[in-house]
Amino acid sequence: MLSAFLSAFRTPDLRKKLLFTVAIIAVYRLGATLPSPGVSFSNVQKCIDIMESGATSGVFSLLNLFSGGALLSLSVFALGIMPYITASIILQLLTVVIPRLEQLRKEGQSGQAKITQYTRYLTLGLAVLQSSAFVALARSGQLFSNQCDQFPIVPENTGLPMWITLVALVITMTAGTGVVMWLGELITDRGVGNGMSVLIFTSIAARLPSEGWAIKESRGWAWFIAVLALVLLVITLVVFIEQAQRRIPVQYAKRMIGRKMYGGTSTYIPLKVNQAGVIPVIFASSLLYLPQLILQFFDQNDPGPVQSWVQNNIVDPASWIHIVIYFLLIIFFTYFYVSITFNPTEVAENMKKYGGFVPGIRPGKPTADYLDFILSRITLPGSLYLGVISILPNFFFIWLDNNQFQNFPFGGTAVLIMVGVGLETVKQIESQLMQRNYEGFLR
Amino acid sequence: MAERKRRGEDPADDNLNDETFEDTVDAEDDDVADEPVSRGGTATLSKAKAEAADSPAKEKKPGRGPFARIGRFFREVVAELRKVIWPTRNELLTYTAVVIVFVAVMMTVVALLDFGFAKGVLAIFG
């Protein structure tokens, strides 16, 4: 296996891609560390220390996890990839609703480019909203739950008028989001893996060591090892399900092209039990953060009945309503994403074109129906599995006391994303490696 | 030569035709679409499609009620799950090991980067 890692670096084009991806990740982490203008770096550090030693860790635990700890330190990339994800969900959902967008999607390359363009604009819009919300929170001290009011994060006595500082902050963070979006697309185009997932993966990877250490510090070695064993179990389970396939046999007819004989082979279409990968989880969790974001625009100190209901039932990850909504969202997005990425009609048409057929099923529409039938049945266990694994940590919230494990990043969403993205990326490297030598990691 | 070239491109043309056939035909695509050979292909294709639509693929009995239908759906889910190829023990172990190694490597890389950047930022701003 280790030799495969070495040979991955010995292959010139693969080495270039890997190094490129690592370089982008380095830029991303640099931006996540770099403080925005107008933010007092030393005060932020003190506040984070207070937060980490305190019992209540902030409201934005998952958001902070997804931005790799950049959010609380109000760095240049504080918003991370979240606005981009939210924007792409919104656009993909709208594609189903708005006929014009659907038309664009069917148009092929140019239409897709148009949709991407809209996604980018929407991302910047969301970034402006989100960054102003966070800047306002930071100003009022609520970003750190008012535990850190003696150290103002955005100091007043800078000699500049306050509004200039605030506007500069919002502009910086919005621009940072734009850069993160670009970095993600660069990884997709010229690196390995899907840019969006790789960046989230990086953020989570940045948080995990310190979160793990926090568990050890607060609960001791026995708990630490128990959690580690649990994570190992979850990883194995995730790998097990991700690898499970329903293979639909396909027989190709023999045919002569010129003087050569082609086809006559039998292969299969691999339908994974979880055809959608980790995207549904990312989508569901970022969609579930919208209500929390909207809440930030209202007065925090005097919550109305609606506001406090939303706060207690939808935002709070330990409430049953939150868990049920999360679970249902994941199931919905699994079906949704599968329907976007796998088109049975197209696959059936392609098979027919090259003389392939599923034994016992007529080519064309019956085959498409058959594929659709299997896909809709096989996706149900897939989506249930995604949902169950993702809500595991919420059960921990309920089972354990609430405060200690507010930031609990193990067992669910985070591990699922880590393993899913890891598996996807390794497989992509593997298939690139296969073009050169026959031995890969997975042998 | 020209004939062979045309033949080589046939699948792609067919594809284009299919799409224009399913949407309303665009004026823009007309010059590509008016190749006689593949147009014939589309015609038979659509005929086959119409034929196929008459004979339902699955032996779908009309459900007696919502509960019966849900029950049947779950039975079908279980039936499909039985046909799933699960990874073997060996495969599972290799993949798990590879993923763990990958995650560990990435975590180390990111941790090193973070450590370096934190020191640098602290030196400049702290």
Side-chain angles (χ1 to χ4, degrees), chain A residues 53-198:
Chain A
S53 57
T56 55
S57 44
V59 265
F60 301 106
S61 45
L62 191 71
L63 219 52
N64 197 35
L65 181 69
F66 274 6
S67 70
L71 179 65
L72 284 187
S73 56
L74 282 183
S75 60
V76 178
F77 289 169
L79 300 181
I81 195 87
M82 278 310 239
Y84 188 43
I85 296 174
T86 318
S88 48
I89 305 169
I90 292 176
L91 249 99
Q92 277 180 3
L93 285 176
L94 283 184
T95 314
V96 183
V97 183
I98 299 178
R100 185 174 138 61
L101 284 178
E102 201 185 349
Q103 217 175 349
L104 275 179
R105 196 165 68 126
K106 281 190 180 156
E107 228 170 60
Q109 194 100 52
S110 63
Q112 202 59 51
K114 200 86 187 161
I115 290 182
T116 314
Q117 198 183 358
Y118 291 152
T119 313
R120 289 178 189 148
Y121 287 142
L122 188 62
T123 307
L124 290 187
L126 285 175
V128 170
L129 279 180
Q130 222 164 323
S131 55
S132 5
F134 284 129
V135 168
L137 279 181
R139 273 274 286 157
S140 64
Q142 277 158 4
L143 192 59
F144 290 97
S145 319
N146 289 78
Q147 286 180 22
C148 187
D149 287 343
Q150 69 271 37
F151 303 113
I153 303 165
V154 188
E156 307 262 357
N157 51 351
T158 48
L160 276 173
M162 199 59 206
W163 66 270
I164 292 189
T165 316
L166 294 184
V167 167
L169 259 174
V170 171
I171 290 178
T172 311
M173 286 186 189
T174 310
T177 308
V179 174
V180 170
M181 182 164 72
W182 184 56
L183 293 180
E185 284 174 6
L186 275 182
I187 291 184
T188 311
D189 285 349
R190 292 169 51 191
V192 280
N194 174 330
M196 201 161 84
S197 341
V198 167

Side-chain angles (χ1 to χ4, degrees), chain A residues 29 244-246 366 377 423, chain B residues 52 76 80 85-86 98-99 114:
Chain A
R29 288 314 301 166
Q245 292 173 340
R246 166 79 164 91
R377 264 82 187 155
L423 208 58
Chain B
E76 282 161 355
E80 287 303 327
I85 313 272
W86 302 97
V98 166
V99 166
D114 270 8

Side-chain angles (χ1 to χ4, degrees), chain A residues 408-426:
Chain A
F408 198 69
F410 298 100
T413 314
V415 170
L416 198 58
I417 293 175
M418 297 282 280
V419 178
V421 176
L423 208 58
E424 231 167 80
T425 315
V426 169

Side-chain angles (χ1 to χ4, degrees), chain A residues 1 5 22 25-26 29-30 33-35 41 45 106 201-202 205-206 208-209 232 235-236 239-241 243-247 273 335 349 352-354 362 365-366 369-370 373-374 376-378 380-381 418-419 421-423 425-427 429 441-443, chain B residues 7 11-12 14-15 18-19 22-23 44-45 48-49 51-53 55-58 60 72-74 76-77 80-81 83-87 91-103 105-107 109-111 113-114 117-118 121-122 125-126:
Chain A
M1 196 171 72
F5 273 98
V22 172
I25 287 175
R29 288 314 301 166
L30 176 64
T33 331
L34 210 62
F41 182 72
Q45 290 305 315
K106 281 190 180 156
F201 175 90
T202 312
L208 277 194
L232 212 64
I235 289 178
T236 318
V239 170
F240 185 71
I241 308 253
Q243 284 308 110
Q245 292 173 340
R246 166 79 164 91
R247 292 176 177 170
V273 172
Y335 271 97
E349 286 299 326
K352 185 175 170 181
K353 211 168 288 163
Y354 295 106
R362 297 188 58 174
K365 191 165 184 308
D369 286 346
Y370 179 66
F373 176 85
I374 292 182
S376 57
R377 264 82 187 155
I378 208 78
L380 183 76
M418 297 282 280
V419 178
V421 176
L423 208 58
T425 315
V426 169
K427 274 190 181 164
I429 298 175
F441 307 96
L442 312 172
R443 205 129 283 268
Chain B
R7 193 184 262 181
D14 232 20
N15 194 9
D18 272 358
E19 268 183 2
E22 281 186 353
D23 306 340
T44 51
L45 201 147
K49 235 189 247 173
E51 241 173 55
S55 59
K58 318 153 249 183
K60 217 177 196 174
R72 201 186 62 216
F73 183 82
F74 277 104
E76 282 161 355
V77 167
E80 287 303 327
L81 270 185
K83 295 178 196 159
V84 165
I85 313 272
W86 302 97
E91 249 178 0
L92 185 67
L93 291 181
T94 337
Y95 275 86
T96 311
V98 166
V99 166
I100 290 175
V101 168
F102 180 78
V103 169
V105 167
M106 289 305 287
M107 232 143 83
V109 168
V110 172
L113 282 174
D114 270 8
F117 288 142
V121 168
L122 200 66
F125 297 99

